[in-house]
């Protein structure tokens, strides 16, 4: 199952600790990198959150944003000690900066001043994991939908590469015949007659240098392997990335050995198709 590494999903759930909202954003990355942003009272659950995500995703940069909203009838309390210290500090600053004014609501927004009623830690963790799982389900579905589209595009490009390889195979007998004719024509222009044995040696040497049968065979092998990998039910991005390098190597060699405009153009067409695939493969998990 091909999955894209770029996706967004969110989920919301009611819990004893209030309304929890979880947002997930993922983009392509060489490895799995998780960047969570949690409310202070949920920060202790970050290791469990990371473990849950790592069990579902293997690659990509994952931004996790969890927000907590108050539930109706939720009791709140003020940390009087901290509020008193902030008040003393504000009065001290007021003597130094007479124009400065500190509103009571601003003091309440200071971290730790306004506290929620105690909620059982296990209950909070279960609520967080539940909303995270919902978001992960939605994220996975989105990544799979995008991955399916990418897979279709890759298969189309593979069909194009296969056609190019077949065309070059069909041209090779004609190209070898033309190569022999050119060589014989050049030797015929020489003032001294060429030794038939030497002519045959030179022909064999030229044909060997321009032989691309191995490159065409390897390209066909890479096509078959890529199709097989696209059907695997596991993350395949790294395998595909390696195969794109192998494709590109054979296309370059095909171009360097070319002695005919058709095979040269075929090499360029292969590179275009491979590059289109490579760009998409960078975004596959």
């Amino acid at each position: 199952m091909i999955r894209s590494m770029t996706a967004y999903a969110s989920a919301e759930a009611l819990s004893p600790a209030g309304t929890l909202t979880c947002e997930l954003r993922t983009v392509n990355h060489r490895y799995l990198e998780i960047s969570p942003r949690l409310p202070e009272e949920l920060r202790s659950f970050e290791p469990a959150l990371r473990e849950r995500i790592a069990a579902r995703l293997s690659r990509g940069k994952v931004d996790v944003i969890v927000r907590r909203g108050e539930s109706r009838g939720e009791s709140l309390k003020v940390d009087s000690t901290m509020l008193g210290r902030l008040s003393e500090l504000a009065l001290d600053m007021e003597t130094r900066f007479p124009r400065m004014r500190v509103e009571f609501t601003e003091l309440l927004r200071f971290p730790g001043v306004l506290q929620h009623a105690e909620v059982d830690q296990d209950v909070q963790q279960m609520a967080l994991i539940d909303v995270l799982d919902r978001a992960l389900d939605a994220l996975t579905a989105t990544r799979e939908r995008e991955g399916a589209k990418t897979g279709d595009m890759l298969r189309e490009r593979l069909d194009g590469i296969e056609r190019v390889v077949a065309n070059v195979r069909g041209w090779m007998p004609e190209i070898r015949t033309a190569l022999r004719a050119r060589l014989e024509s050049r030797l015929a222009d020489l003032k001294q007659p060429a030794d038939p044995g030497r002519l045959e040696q030179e022909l064999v040497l030229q044909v060997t240098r321009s032989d691309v049968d191995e490159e065409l065979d390897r390209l066909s092998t890479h096509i078959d392997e890529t199709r097989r990998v696209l059907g695997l039910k596991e993350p395949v991005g790294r395998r595909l990335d390696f195969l794109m390098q192998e494709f590109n190597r054979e296309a370059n060699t095909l171009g360097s050995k070319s002695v005919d405009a058709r095979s040269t153009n075929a090499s360029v067409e292969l590179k275009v198709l491979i590059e289109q695939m490579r760009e998409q493969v960078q975004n596959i998990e």
Side-chain angles (χ1 to χ4, degrees):
M1 178 67 70
I2 300 176
R3 293 178 180 173
S4 170
M5 281 192 284
T6 302
Y8 168 83
S10 65
E12 183 177 288
L14 294 174
S15 75
T19 302
L20 288 179
T21 303
C22 179
E23 293 184 8
L24 299 174
R25 292 183 177 88
T26 61
V27 294
N28 60 324
H29 196 274
R30 189 174 182 183
Y31 306 105
L32 179 63
E33 180 181 315
I34 304 172
S35 301
R37 290 170 55 188
L38 304 175
E40 187 65 31
E41 62 272 19
L42 301 178
R43 198 69 62 80
S44 61
F45 306 130
E46 182 176 322
L49 178 142
R50 288 178 174 273
E51 182 179 350
R52 200 75 170 186
I53 294 173
R56 299 283 297 274
L57 307 177
S58 62
R59 291 179 70 196
K61 185 180 186 302
V62 186
D63 290 324
V64 188
I65 302 175
V66 177
R67 298 185 179 90
R68 179 183 180 277
E70 296 179 10
S71 60
R72 292 183 178 180
E74 182 179 15
S75 60
L76 300 173
K77 65 178 181 178
V78 175
D79 187 330
S80 301
T81 302
M82 179 173 289
L83 185 61
R85 291 175 182 173
L86 290 174
S87 177
E88 292 175 1
L89 182 61
L91 292 174
D92 180 57
M93 290 296 103
E94 189 174 358
T95 59
R96 300 183 185 183
F97 307 98
R99 296 183 180 181
M100 186 182 75
R101 292 291 181 271
V102 179
E103 300 292 337
F104 175 71
T105 54
E106 294 177 356
L107 294 179
L108 291 180
R109 283 199 292 268
F110 193 87
V113 173
L114 193 62
Q115 298 179 346
H116 299 277
E118 291 293 331
V119 179
D120 184 87
Q121 291 290 296
D122 291 338
V123 172
Q124 287 200 59
Q125 181 170 341
M126 288 177 61
L128 175 61
I129 295 302
D130 176 65
V131 73
L132 174 63
D133 282 344
R134 295 186 190 183
L136 283 171
D137 289 342
L139 184 79
T140 299
T142 301
R143 284 160 69 107
E144 289 179 354
R145 286 194 299 269
E146 293 301 317
K149 296 178 183 177
T150 301
D152 291 340
M153 189 283 290
L154 293 177
R155 291 182 180 92
E156 289 178 3
R157 300 304 185 274
L158 283 175
D159 291 342
I161 292 175
E162 193 169 44
R163 286 192 294 269
V164 172
V165 171
N167 288 338
V168 175
R169 285 190 190 277
W171 296 332
M172 287 313 298
E174 185 180 342
I175 291 174
R176 293 188 183 102
T177 300
L179 178 62
R180 182 185 185 96
R182 286 199 302 270
L183 181 59
E184 290 176 343
S185 175
R186 291 174 184 173
L187 292 175
D189 292 337
L190 297 177
K191 295 181 179 180
Q192 297 295 329
D195 177 63
R198 181 56 184 271
L199 172 62
E200 195 65 29
Q201 289 178 1
E202 186 65 24
L203 178 62
V204 170
L205 179 61
Q206 292 295 329
V207 170
T208 301
R209 288 176 178 174
S210 61
D211 181 64
V212 293
D213 285 344
E214 289 187 9
E215 286 72 23
L216 296 176
D217 288 341
R218 282 195 287 267
L219 282 169
S220 295
T221 299
H222 297 334
I223 292 171
D224 293 340
E225 177 62 12
T226 302
R227 285 179 174 149
R228 186 191 71 82
V229 170
L230 288 174
L232 296 177
K233 297 183 181 298
E234 60 187 62
V236 296
R238 289 174 180 168
R239 293 190 187 188
L240 291 175
D241 187 52
F242 172 76
L243 284 167
M244 293 307 104
Q245 298 177 39
E246 296 300 306
F247 269 116
N248 202 52
R249 182 178 294 109
E250 302 307 331
N252 286 332
T253 305
L254 184 66
S256 66
K257 287 186 174 184
S258 176
V259 292
D260 186 270
R262 289 172 296 179
S263 57
T264 299
N265 292 337
S267 174
V268 173
E269 186 176 355
L270 282 175
K271 291 179 182 179
V272 171
L273 291 169
I274 294 166
E275 179 60 22
Q276 291 173 349
M277 293 179 67
R278 190 194 66 81
E279 290 177 356
Q280 296 298 320
V281 164
Q282 299 304 308
N283 200 37
I284 293 178
E285 183 180 7

